[in-house]
Amino acid sequence: METKDFNSSISAKISAGEAIKKISNVVEWWGVTFTGSAEKQNDQFIIKMGGDSFFNFTVSELIPGKRVVWLITDCYMPWYADKKEWANTRLIFDVTENNGLTELNFTHEGLTPEMECYKDCAPGWTHWINTSLFSYFTTGKGVFRKPSI
């Protein structure tokens, strides 16, 4: 059975270990205000996207060169009726290296088309993964833009 969770994949000439390291350097590819640390398992960090919005994360899983998972432990999205819609969802970054090429498979587990924010969040994630993180992997610089929400 196919999952409806948001998913996006990219491939780049980068080692899997370097990919995980760059994913964890959030401010370089995701245009948000960041406090805390995302480098080790159990690290905690907060992302703000302006106004009263916030997203609290815990690095719930980290397998060097393979996978990093961020659990959203709390959030406040003032733009939506369900202001806690992302709470208890997970951002999953799986990487696989083959002959110098690393594939990243990103899943926002719990972000499904039934959610109110999906219409904004799916294009947002497409930009942050396919454009900004890919650019950070390949050029060392992310591609920032104002969030659409």
Side-chain angles (χ1 to χ4, degrees):
M1 182 172 174
E2 192 173 336
T3 179
K4 292 183 180 180
D5 294 325
F6 178 82
N7 185 275
S8 185
S9 297
I10 58 173
S11 294
K13 288 186 179 182
I14 183 175
S15 73
E18 187 66 16
I20 293 290
K21 186 188 259 186
K22 286 189 171 196
I23 290 164
S24 299
N25 195 357
V26 179
V27 296
E28 293 297 326
W29 64 270
W30 195 4
V32 292
T33 303
F34 175 94
T35 54
S37 178
E39 296 174 10
K40 301 184 305 294
Q41 188 156 332
N42 300 316
D43 276 358
Q44 296 182 341
F45 60 98
I46 300 169
I47 286 177
K48 295 188 176 187
M49 294 184 183
D52 296 332
S53 71
F54 70 84
F55 303 84
N56 293 353
F57 292 84
T58 297
V59 179
S60 60
E61 187 177 347
L62 179 60
I63 303 169
K66 300 263 186 228
R67 170 181 254 219
V68 64
V69 179
W70 299 340
L71 172 66
I72 301 164
T73 57
D74 194 13
C75 66
Y76 181 72
M77 302 186 309
W79 318 281
Y80 301 112
D82 180 355
K83 311 216 179 300
K84 303 272 185 188
E85 196 168 52
W86 278 22
N88 299 311
T89 64
R90 300 185 321 152
L91 306 184
I92 303 167
F93 302 84
D94 285 312
V95 296
T96 308
E97 184 177 351
N98 190 7
N99 294 327
L101 190 67
T102 293
E103 180 174 348
L104 164 68
N105 186 30
F106 169 80
T107 303
H108 186 158
E109 185 181 85
L111 178 61
T112 62
E114 295 77 29
M115 294 179 80
E116 181 186 3
C117 84
Y118 192 86
K119 69 186 183 325
D120 298 318
C121 297
W125 277 130
T126 299
H127 169 79
W128 293 118
I129 301 299
N130 294 24
T131 302
S132 190
L133 187 57
F134 177 77
S135 177
Y136 184 41
F137 279 3
T138 58
T139 71
K141 293 196 181 299
V143 177
F144 302 114
R145 66 167 177 78
K146 295 229 182 258
S148 60
I149 50 176

PDB file of all heavy atoms in Angstrom, residues 14-39:
ATOM      1  N   ILE A  14      27.903  13.545  -3.618  1.00  0.00           N
ATOM      2  CA  ILE A  14      28.312  13.899  -2.264  1.00  0.00           C
ATOM      3  C   ILE A  14      28.312  12.586  -1.480  1.00  0.00           C
ATOM      4  O   ILE A  14      27.540  11.681  -1.805  1.00  0.00           O
ATOM      5  CB  ILE A  14      27.329  14.940  -1.670  1.00  0.00           C
ATOM      6  CG1 ILE A  14      27.742  15.422  -0.280  1.00  0.00           C
ATOM      7  CG2 ILE A  14      25.907  14.415  -1.654  1.00  0.00           C
ATOM      8  CD1 ILE A  14      26.838  16.549   0.260  1.00  0.00           C
ATOM      9  N   SER A  15      29.164  12.463  -0.488  1.00  0.00           N
ATOM     10  CA  SER A  15      29.131  11.233   0.308  1.00  0.00           C
ATOM     11  C   SER A  15      27.895  11.243   1.212  1.00  0.00           C
ATOM     12  O   SER A  15      27.368  12.304   1.554  1.00  0.00           O
ATOM     13  CB  SER A  15      30.395  11.104   1.154  1.00  0.00           C
ATOM     14  OG  SER A  15      30.364  12.026   2.235  1.00  0.00           O
ATOM     15  N   ALA A  16      27.457  10.064   1.599  1.00  0.00           N
ATOM     16  CA  ALA A  16      26.295   9.958   2.487  1.00  0.00           C
ATOM     17  C   ALA A  16      26.588  10.631   3.828  1.00  0.00           C
ATOM     18  O   ALA A  16      25.722  11.297   4.402  1.00  0.00           O
ATOM     19  CB  ALA A  16      25.912   8.493   2.678  1.00  0.00           C
ATOM     20  N   GLY A  17      27.803  10.486   4.327  1.00  0.00           N
ATOM     21  CA  GLY A  17      28.177  11.121   5.585  1.00  0.00           C
ATOM     22  C   GLY A  17      28.113  12.638   5.498  1.00  0.00           C
ATOM     23  O   GLY A  17      27.629  13.311   6.414  1.00  0.00           O
ATOM     24  N   GLU A  18      28.617  13.187   4.385  1.00  0.00           N
ATOM     25  CA  GLU A  18      28.568  14.635   4.176  1.00  0.00           C
ATOM     26  C   GLU A  18      27.120  15.100   4.017  1.00  0.00           C
ATOM     27  O   GLU A  18      26.744  16.174   4.496  1.00  0.00           O
ATOM     28  CB  GLU A  18      29.401  15.027   2.952  1.00  0.00           C
ATOM     29  CG  GLU A  18      29.538  16.517   2.750  1.00  0.00           C
ATOM     30  CD  GLU A  18      30.341  17.239   3.835  1.00  0.00           C
ATOM     31  OE1 GLU A  18      31.071  16.579   4.603  1.00  0.00           O
ATOM     32  OE2 GLU A  18      30.226  18.477   3.913  1.00  0.00           O
ATOM     33  N   ALA A  19      26.277  14.305   3.372  1.00  0.00           N
ATOM     34  CA  ALA A  19      24.861  14.659   3.219  1.00  0.00           C
ATOM     35  C   ALA A  19      24.182  14.789   4.578  1.00  0.00           C
ATOM     36  O   ALA A  19      23.487  15.773   4.841  1.00  0.00           O
ATOM     37  CB  ALA A  19      24.140  13.622   2.356  1.00  0.00           C
ATOM     38  N   ILE A  20      24.414  13.822   5.464  1.00  0.00           N
ATOM     39  CA  ILE A  20      23.816  13.876   6.804  1.00  0.00           C
ATOM     40  C   ILE A  20      24.322  15.106   7.556  1.00  0.00           C
ATOM     41  O   ILE A  20      23.556  15.817   8.213  1.00  0.00           O
ATOM     42  CB  ILE A  20      24.115  12.582   7.602  1.00  0.00           C
ATOM     43  CG1 ILE A  20      23.388  11.384   6.971  1.00  0.00           C
ATOM     44  CG2 ILE A  20      23.746  12.743   9.073  1.00  0.00           C
ATOM     45  CD1 ILE A  20      21.881  11.362   7.106  1.00  0.00           C
ATOM     46  N   LYS A  21      25.618  15.379   7.436  1.00  0.00           N
ATOM     47  CA  LYS A  21      26.197  16.552   8.102  1.00  0.00           C
ATOM     48  C   LYS A  21      25.545  17.842   7.591  1.00  0.00           C
ATOM     49  O   LYS A  21      25.202  18.729   8.372  1.00  0.00           O
ATOM     50  CB  LYS A  21      27.706  16.586   7.849  1.00  0.00           C
ATOM     51  CG  LYS A  21      28.429  17.684   8.606  1.00  0.00           C
ATOM     52  CD  LYS A  21      29.871  17.772   8.159  1.00  0.00           C
ATOM     53  CE  LYS A  21      30.774  17.106   9.147  1.00  0.00           C
ATOM     54  NZ  LYS A  21      32.193  17.290   8.841  1.00  0.00           N
ATOM     55  N   LYS A  22      25.339  17.927   6.285  1.00  0.00           N
ATOM     56  CA  LYS A  22      24.739  19.136   5.710  1.00  0.00           C
ATOM     57  C   LYS A  22      23.254  19.252   6.071  1.00  0.00           C
ATOM     58  O   LYS A  22      22.770  20.356   6.316  1.00  0.00           O
ATOM     59  CB  LYS A  22      24.949  19.168   4.195  1.00  0.00           C
ATOM     60  CG  LYS A  22      26.379  19.510   3.833  1.00  0.00           C
ATOM     61  CD  LYS A  22      26.572  19.756   2.361  1.00  0.00           C
ATOM     62  CE  LYS A  22      27.963  20.311   2.127  1.00  0.00           C
ATOM     63  NZ  LYS A  22      28.124  20.929   0.828  1.00  0.00           N
ATOM     64  N   ILE A  23      22.525  18.152   6.100  1.00  0.00           N
ATOM     65  CA  ILE A  23      21.118  18.189   6.517  1.00  0.00           C
ATOM     66  C   ILE A  23      21.026  18.769   7.928  1.00  0.00           C
ATOM     67  O   ILE A  23      20.146  19.588   8.225  1.00  0.00           O
ATOM     68  CB  ILE A  23      20.498  16.776   6.460  1.00  0.00           C
ATOM     69  CG1 ILE A  23      20.336  16.332   5.001  1.00  0.00           C
ATOM     70  CG2 ILE A  23      19.157  16.733   7.201  1.00  0.00           C
ATOM     71  CD1 ILE A  23      20.106  14.833   4.829  1.00  0.00           C
ATOM     72  N   SER A  24      21.952  18.368   8.793  1.00  0.00           N
ATOM     73  CA  SER A  24      21.947  18.805  10.186  1.00  0.00           C
ATOM     74  C   SER A  24      22.337  20.264  10.359  1.00  0.00           C
ATOM     75  O   SER A  24      22.122  20.845  11.422  1.00  0.00           O
ATOM     76  CB  SER A  24      22.877  17.918  11.007  1.00  0.00           C
ATOM     77  OG  SER A  24      22.432  16.568  10.956  1.00  0.00           O
ATOM     78  N   ASN A  25      22.911  20.874   9.328  1.00  0.00           N
ATOM     79  CA  ASN A  25      23.271  22.290   9.350  1.00  0.00           C
ATOM     80  C   ASN A  25      22.093  23.090   8.769  1.00  0.00           C
ATOM     81  O   ASN A  25      22.170  23.679   7.695  1.00  0.00           O
ATOM     82  CB  ASN A  25      24.560  22.510   8.561  1.00  0.00           C
ATOM     83  CG  ASN A  25      25.172  23.857   8.849  1.00  0.00           C
ATOM     84  OD1 ASN A  25      24.628  24.668   9.589  1.00  0.00           O
ATOM     85  ND2 ASN A  25      26.308  24.109   8.242  1.00  0.00           N
ATOM     86  N   VAL A  26      20.999  23.086   9.501  1.00  0.00           N
ATOM     87  CA  VAL A  26      19.694  23.551   9.044  1.00  0.00           C
ATOM     88  C   VAL A  26      19.709  24.968   8.467  1.00  0.00           C
ATOM     89  O   VAL A  26      19.096  25.221   7.430  1.00  0.00           O
ATOM     90  CB  VAL A  26      18.674  23.453  10.209  1.00  0.00           C
ATOM     91  CG1 VAL A  26      17.306  23.956   9.790  1.00  0.00           C
ATOM     92  CG2 VAL A  26      18.594  22.020  10.730  1.00  0.00           C
ATOM     93  N   VAL A  27      20.406  25.895   9.111  1.00  0.00           N
ATOM     94  CA  VAL A  27      20.362  27.291   8.666  1.00  0.00           C
ATOM     95  C   VAL A  27      20.954  27.492   7.276  1.00  0.00           C
ATOM     96  O   VAL A  27      20.645  28.490   6.618  1.00  0.00           O
ATOM     97  CB  VAL A  27      21.053  28.249   9.660  1.00  0.00           C
ATOM     98  CG1 VAL A  27      20.321  28.271  10.984  1.00  0.00           C
ATOM     99  CG2 VAL A  27      22.510  27.893   9.868  1.00  0.00           C
ATOM    100  N   GLU A  28      21.763  26.560   6.807  1.00  0.00           N
ATOM    101  CA  GLU A  28      22.390  26.722   5.492  1.00  0.00           C
ATOM    102  C   GLU A  28      21.460  26.378   4.329  1.00  0.00           C
ATOM    103  O   GLU A  28      21.742  26.744   3.189  1.00  0.00           O
ATOM    104  CB  GLU A  28      23.667  25.888   5.410  1.00  0.00           C
ATOM    105  CG  GLU A  28      24.756  26.369   6.331  1.00  0.00           C
ATOM    106  CD  GLU A  28      25.237  27.776   5.995  1.00  0.00           C
ATOM    107  OE1 GLU A  28      25.271  28.145   4.809  1.00  0.00           O
ATOM    108  OE2 GLU A  28      25.576  28.506   6.951  1.00  0.00           O
ATOM    109  N   TRP A  29      20.353  25.664   4.600  1.00  0.00           N
ATOM    110  CA  TRP A  29      19.472  25.285   3.485  1.00  0.00           C
ATOM    111  C   TRP A  29      17.994  25.590   3.722  1.00  0.00           C
ATOM    112  O   TRP A  29      17.214  25.648   2.778  1.00  0.00           O
ATOM    113  CB  TRP A  29      19.654  23.812   3.119  1.00  0.00           C
ATOM    114  CG  TRP A  29      19.270  22.824   4.192  1.00  0.00           C
ATOM    115  CD1 TRP A  29      20.083  22.329   5.169  1.00  0.00           C
ATOM    116  CD2 TRP A  29      17.998  22.217   4.403  1.00  0.00           C
ATOM    117  NE1 TRP A  29      19.386  21.453   5.972  1.00  0.00           N
ATOM    118  CE2 TRP A  29      18.104  21.364   5.519  1.00  0.00           C
ATOM    119  CE3 TRP A  29      16.756  22.298   3.737  1.00  0.00           C
ATOM    120  CZ2 TRP A  29      17.038  20.602   5.996  1.00  0.00           C
ATOM    121  CZ3 TRP A  29      15.702  21.538   4.215  1.00  0.00           C
ATOM    122  CH2 TRP A  29      15.840  20.702   5.327  1.00  0.00           C
ATOM    123  N   TRP A  30      17.599  25.799   4.973  1.00  0.00           N
ATOM    124  CA  TRP A  30      16.185  26.072   5.257  1.00  0.00           C
ATOM    125  C   TRP A  30      16.096  27.494   5.790  1.00  0.00           C
ATOM    126  O   TRP A  30      16.615  27.789   6.853  1.00  0.00           O
ATOM    127  CB  TRP A  30      15.660  25.070   6.283  1.00  0.00           C
ATOM    128  CG  TRP A  30      14.173  24.991   6.426  1.00  0.00           C
ATOM    129  CD1 TRP A  30      13.227  25.660   5.705  1.00  0.00           C
ATOM    130  CD2 TRP A  30      13.449  24.172   7.353  1.00  0.00           C
ATOM    131  NE1 TRP A  30      11.970  25.309   6.129  1.00  0.00           N
ATOM    132  CE2 TRP A  30      12.080  24.396   7.144  1.00  0.00           C
ATOM    133  CE3 TRP A  30      13.835  23.280   8.342  1.00  0.00           C
ATOM    134  CZ2 TRP A  30      11.093  23.757   7.872  1.00  0.00           C
ATOM    135  CZ3 TRP A  30      12.847  22.647   9.081  1.00  0.00           C
ATOM    136  CH2 TRP A  30      11.493  22.879   8.844  1.00  0.00           C
ATOM    137  N   GLY A  31      15.457  28.374   5.058  1.00  0.00           N
ATOM    138  CA  GLY A  31      15.441  29.800   5.384  1.00  0.00           C
ATOM    139  C   GLY A  31      14.569  30.134   6.570  1.00  0.00           C
ATOM    140  O   GLY A  31      13.500  30.718   6.407  1.00  0.00           O
ATOM    141  N   VAL A  32      15.028  29.765   7.760  1.00  0.00           N
ATOM    142  CA  VAL A  32      14.254  29.950   8.981  1.00  0.00           C
ATOM    143  C   VAL A  32      15.173  30.446  10.100  1.00  0.00           C
ATOM    144  O   VAL A  32      16.388  30.400   9.975  1.00  0.00           O
ATOM    145  CB  VAL A  32      13.598  28.618   9.434  1.00  0.00           C
ATOM    146  CG1 VAL A  32      12.518  28.189   8.454  1.00  0.00           C
ATOM    147  CG2 VAL A  32      14.633  27.516   9.607  1.00  0.00           C
ATOM    148  N   THR A  33      14.567  30.896  11.184  1.00  0.00           N
ATOM    149  CA  THR A  33      15.313  31.221  12.385  1.00  0.00           C
ATOM    150  C   THR A  33      15.484  29.935  13.181  1.00  0.00           C
ATOM    151  O   THR A  33      14.517  29.221  13.423  1.00  0.00           O
ATOM    152  CB  THR A  33      14.555  32.281  13.218  1.00  0.00           C
ATOM    153  OG1 THR A  33      14.338  33.433  12.403  1.00  0.00           O
ATOM    154  CG2 THR A  33      15.339  32.671  14.449  1.00  0.00           C
ATOM    155  N   PHE A  34      16.729  29.654  13.562  1.00  0.00           N
ATOM    156  CA  PHE A  34      17.089  28.366  14.171  1.00  0.00           C
ATOM    157  C   PHE A  34      17.818  28.601  15.477  1.00  0.00           C
ATOM    158  O   PHE A  34      18.758  29.391  15.528  1.00  0.00           O
ATOM    159  CB  PHE A  34      17.990  27.607  13.184  1.00  0.00           C
ATOM    160  CG  PHE A  34      18.544  26.318  13.708  1.00  0.00           C
ATOM    161  CD1 PHE A  34      17.891  25.121  13.460  1.00  0.00           C
ATOM    162  CD2 PHE A  34      19.735  26.285  14.425  1.00  0.00           C
ATOM    163  CE1 PHE A  34      18.406  23.916  13.921  1.00  0.00           C
ATOM    164  CE2 PHE A  34      20.258  25.091  14.900  1.00  0.00           C
ATOM    165  CZ  PHE A  34      19.584  23.908  14.644  1.00  0.00           C
ATOM    166  N   THR A  35      17.392  27.896  16.534  1.00  0.00           N
ATOM    167  CA  THR A  35      18.147  27.880  17.783  1.00  0.00           C
ATOM    168  C   THR A  35      18.254  26.438  18.253  1.00  0.00           C
ATOM    169  O   THR A  35      17.338  25.647  18.043  1.00  0.00           O
ATOM    170  CB  THR A  35      17.493  28.743  18.892  1.00  0.00           C
ATOM    171  OG1 THR A  35      16.141  28.326  19.067  1.00  0.00           O
ATOM    172  CG2 THR A  35      17.518  30.215  18.554  1.00  0.00           C
ATOM    173  N   GLY A  36      19.382  26.115  18.879  1.00  0.00           N
ATOM    174  CA  GLY A  36      19.605  24.759  19.358  1.00  0.00           C
ATOM    175  C   GLY A  36      20.636  24.051  18.511  1.00  0.00           C
ATOM    176  O   GLY A  36      21.472  24.680  17.874  1.00  0.00           O
ATOM    177  N   SER A  37      20.546  22.715  18.486  1.00  0.00           N
ATOM    178  CA  SER A  37      21.479  21.907  17.720  1.00  0.00           C
ATOM    179  C   SER A  37      20.744  20.723  17.106  1.00  0.00           C
ATOM    180  O   SER A  37      19.832  20.165  17.716  1.00  0.00           O
ATOM    181  CB  SER A  37      22.596  21.387  18.629  1.00  0.00           C
ATOM    182  OG  SER A  37      23.476  20.563  17.889  1.00  0.00           O
ATOM    183  N   ALA A  38      21.156  20.337  15.883  1.00  0.00           N
ATOM    184  CA  ALA A  38      20.550  19.207  15.179  1.00  0.00           C
ATOM    185  C   ALA A  38      21.608  18.189  14.759  1.00  0.00           C
ATOM    186  O   ALA A  38      21.420  17.469  13.795  1.00  0.00           O
ATOM    187  CB  ALA A  38      19.792  19.713  13.949  1.00  0.00           C
ATOM    188  N   GLU A  39      22.728  18.124  15.489  1.00  0.00           N
ATOM    189  CA  GLU A  39      23.859  17.321  15.054  1.00  0.00           C
ATOM    190  C   GLU A  39      23.915  15.910  15.625  1.00  0.00           C
ATOM    191  O   GLU A  39      24.520  15.032  15.019  1.00  0.00           O
ATOM    192  CB  GLU A  39      25.160  18.058  15.392  1.00  0.00           C
ATOM    193  CG  GLU A  39      25.288  19.360  14.632  1.00  0.00           C
ATOM    194  CD  GLU A  39      26.501  20.163  15.064  1.00  0.00           C
ATOM    195  OE1 GLU A  39      27.345  19.639  15.820  1.00  0.00           O
ATOM    196  OE2 GLU A  39      26.592  21.325  14.641  1.00  0.00           O
TER     197      GLU A  39
END
